[in-house]
Amino acid sequence: MVSRLMTAQSTVETRRWRRPAIVTLVTMTALAALTVDAAARQARPAPATEATAPRDAGEPIMAIVSIKTQQVTFYDAEGWILRAPVSTGTKGRETPAGVFAVVDKEKDHHSNLYDDAWMPNMQRITWNGIALHGGPLPGYAASHGCVRMPYDFAEKLFDKTRIGMRVIISPNDAVPVEFSHPALLAPNAKAVAAAPARAETLAREAEEAARAADEARKAAATAARETASLTASLRKLEGLKARADAELAFADKTLAAAKTDQAKARATEQREKAALRAAEAGTQLDAAKTDAKSKPAAAAAAKDAAKAAQTRKADTAKAANEAKLALEPASVYISRATQKLYVRRNTHKQWPDGGEVFDATIEVPVTIRDPDKPIGTHVFTAMARNDAGLHWTAVTIDDGDDAKDALDRITIPQDVLDRIAPTALPRSSIIVSDEPLSRETNYRTEFVAVLSNQPQGGFKMRQPTIVDVPVASGNDWGNNGFGFFFQPNWNSQPGNPRPRAGQNYQPMQPRWW
């Protein structure tokens, strides 16, 4: 009995000691869980929310999408103006990080890839289907590769942007910072001021040269037809003269053989008529022969004049086109992978299938110091005019050199600077990257460059855009300086010497002129 009491007491005591231990363990576990959860919440970025800058907003110049924080920020010349949460591509269909621009806009778009899915207020940044558009936002990456924005936000934004607006998709948070460097385009105030009048004058001269070339072409064609017609007339007149001479000879024989006065009178009358016909045929033939001597020379002169007029037409059209492009912001892309510099400017020529044509006449080798050393990806943008010429910002989205060191390593050819720097305008840009241009860069895009060290499933799964590449059609400079024929671009030409991630930008060849 005592033993049982002692055992029961021991059990009670044990329970009394265990209860605080259990409570302590539970408390410690809960605290640990709370600590872990707090740490996780601290590590996880706060959900992005819509925001509007507390000032009057200008026209958007640039949009930066952060894949890390699922946020897009739009900037005008003075700074950020709009922010909103986004939903980028899910795993396996990731939105590609890189440098893009708006190439097309469609208010009420339905996907031709994903079951006619509604993509309102769509702003396309590649022709193979990557776009900014309104869509559902679950709070995490969930799209097939596009950048979804809130429906109301996308609608409000749609009419504010323009074709060519820069879109930067960054793996992490990236912001534009003020930047200056001697390599950036420095406009000449006088050249900028004179550019509109110069463009108007050269456009008028080009139109006059085109009319003169058309008239000279018609004159040359007329002269050639007249020369060919005269050759046929000569053969006909030679035949008529031969027949008239034969009739005269026969009349002479008839007159010589006449025996009676009556027969002689008839023969004399026939001879006189034959002689008149022979004389007329001879006169016509002589005149035709005289013309035959001068007509070929005149036709040759008309042909030479038409050729000279056509050359002047092409030269004035080229000058007028360059002057017109000088009124547009210039975008420069410098690739370490290809050791080339590319320039794009919008012609504003509307294309039937959507978008606008970008001029791509400048594509030249460029010198990059230490070409085997990574340089990163940097976007320099002229945001507005200032006393020094242009106010620039820099955005870096890929590791390598810092922005200054990247530009220090590059020597831009002077002839390129002479063509684009004097009239450089706000919205002009210089992009420096390790990457080659993507195969999605074509005549209806500014530049498409994708970071090869980032996931891009939503980009790779799409078929490359197959387009008919417009190239200059000889000296045909209709359509305000653009005359084209088409050749298919099947991406079958050799790619860049050092492509990354399978990108293989195909140079447009031949050039616009």
Side-chain angles (χ1 to χ4, degrees):
M1 183 68 178
V2 174
S3 177
R4 288 180 181 175
L5 288 174
M6 292 179 64
T7 301
Q9 185 178 1
S10 175
T11 302
V12 171
E13 291 297 327
T14 301
R15 285 175 179 171
R16 286 176 180 172
W17 285 107
R18 282 182 179 175
R19 187 176 294 116
I22 292 172
V23 171
T24 302
L25 180 61
V26 170
T27 302
M28 291 177 63
T29 302
L31 287 173
L34 288 172
T35 303
V36 170
D37 184 61
R41 278 189 278 106
Q42 187 176 4
R44 188 185 307 130
T49 57
E50 288 190 43
T52 302
R55 60 178 176 83
D56 292 337
E59 185 178 353
I61 295 176
M62 176 195 314
I64 301 179
V65 176
S66 170
I67 294 176
K68 177 182 178 181
T69 57
Q70 295 290 283
Q71 177 176 266
V72 62
T73 304
F74 288 82
Y75 296 86
D76 68 2
E78 297 182 23
W80 78 273
I81 51 175
L82 294 167
R83 287 197 179 105
V86 298
S87 185
T88 59
T90 188
K91 185 174 178 59
R93 298 175 182 268
E94 295 90 352
T95 301
V99 183
F100 308 85
V102 173
V103 297
D104 190 30
K105 299 172 66 173
E106 189 174 334
K107 186 72 177 173
D108 186 22
H109 179 72
H110 290 261
S111 173
N112 55 5
L113 293 176
Y114 303 112
D115 300 324
D116 202 36
W118 187 40
M119 299 177 176
N121 298 294
M122 182 273 292
Q123 302 193 49
R124 190 188 306 276
I125 59 174
T126 73
W127 287 104
N128 70 351
I130 304 295
L132 313 177
H133 63 78
L137 302 182
Y140 48 84
S143 79
H144 287 83
C146 288
V147 177
R148 298 181 192 165
M149 301 181 293
Y151 286 108
D152 291 344
F153 183 87
E155 183 176 12
K156 178 174 63 176
L157 180 72
F158 187 81
D159 292 330
K160 298 180 184 296
T161 61
R162 66 164 80 172
I163 301 295
M165 184 194 75
R166 171 74 61 229
V167 178
I168 300 170
I169 300 179
S170 175
N172 301 300
D173 291 340
V175 295
V177 296
E178 292 191 7
F179 189 82
S180 62
H181 192 280
L184 296 175
L185 305 179
N188 179 288
K190 291 183 178 179
V192 172
R198 183 172 183 271
E200 184 178 348
T201 298
L202 290 176
R204 186 167 55 251
E205 290 179 0
E207 290 177 359
E208 293 171 355
R211 284 195 295 270
D214 188 52
E215 292 172 1
R217 179 183 59 80
K218 291 178 180 177
T222 299
R225 285 195 301 270
E226 289 177 351
T227 300
S229 176
L230 183 59
T231 300
S233 296
L234 276 174
R235 288 196 297 268
K236 182 179 180 180
L237 289 172
E238 286 171 349
L240 291 175
K241 179 67 168 62
R243 286 196 295 273
D245 289 343
E247 289 177 0
L248 180 59
F250 179 75
D252 286 338
K253 289 181 180 180
T254 302
L255 179 60
K259 300 299 184 181
T260 65
D261 291 341
Q262 187 176 7
K264 288 180 180 180
R266 285 197 301 271
T268 299
E269 183 181 357
Q270 291 176 354
R271 186 190 179 287
E272 288 175 353
K273 292 180 179 179
L276 181 60
R277 287 193 292 271
E280 290 177 350
T283 300
Q284 293 176 358
L285 181 60
D286 290 342
K289 286 181 177 179
T290 300
D291 286 344
K293 292 178 181 179
S294 61
K295 285 291 183 185
K303 184 177 180 181
D304 290 341
K307 185 177 180 180
Q310 196 70 12
T311 299
R312 173 166 170 71
K313 174 185 175 182
D315 290 343
T316 56
K318 177 180 177 180
N321 181 57
E322 189 70 17
K324 184 178 179 181
L325 290 173
L327 304 178
E328 297 297 324
S331 293
V332 179
Y333 189 90
I334 299 171
S335 169
R336 186 179 69 87
T338 63
Q339 301 287 292
K340 283 189 175 183
L341 178 150
Y342 313 82
V343 177
R344 291 284 167 106
R345 290 173 288 186
N346 196 347
T347 69
H348 297 291
K349 176 180 173 60
Q350 299 292 323
W351 209 246
D353 292 337
E356 299 175 358
V357 175
F358 283 77
D359 174 80
T361 54
I362 303 176
E363 181 178 320
V364 297
V366 68
T367 301
I368 301 177
R369 191 176 71 249
D370 300 327
D372 294 326
K373 175 187 174 185
I375 202 168
T377 295
H378 314 273
V379 182
F380 306 94
T381 306
M383 304 299 286
R385 290 187 175 93
N386 62 14
D387 294 339
L390 290 172
H391 168 222
W392 290 82
T393 64
V395 177
T396 296
I397 62 170
D398 194 20
D399 292 335
D401 283 335
D402 63 26
K404 177 185 179 302
D405 291 341
L407 281 182
D408 285 344
R409 289 171 58 187
I410 295 167
T411 303
I412 298 177
Q414 188 61 46
D415 61 330
V416 173
L417 290 174
D418 291 342
R419 288 180 66 176
I420 64 176
T423 57
L425 300 170
R427 292 179 176 270
S428 295
S429 62
I430 297 177
I431 304 163
V432 176
S433 180
D434 292 309
E435 307 291 347
L437 287 174
S438 163
R439 62 189 179 185
E440 279 301 302
T441 300
N442 60 56
Y443 66 98
R444 287 189 294 165
T445 68
E446 188 225 44
F447 295 120
V448 179
V450 176
L451 300 188
S452 58
N453 58 5
Q454 296 296 320
Q456 43 187 277
F459 187 74
K460 286 184 175 180
M461 66 180 291
R462 288 166 162 78
Q463 291 296 321
T465 303
I466 299 175
V467 296
D468 286 333
V469 177
V471 293
S473 54
N475 289 322
D476 179 12
W477 291 93
N479 299 316
N480 295 322
F482 293 93
F484 307 113
F485 66 88
F486 296 87
Q487 71 179 25
N489 174 13
W490 297 95
N491 288 318
S492 59
Q493 302 172 29
N496 293 312
R498 289 186 292 171
R500 294 173 61 175
Q503 302 177 60
N504 57 339
Y505 163 72
Q506 304 302 327
M508 296 177 61
Q509 55 180 343
R511 297 288 149 232
W512 300 100
W513 56 67

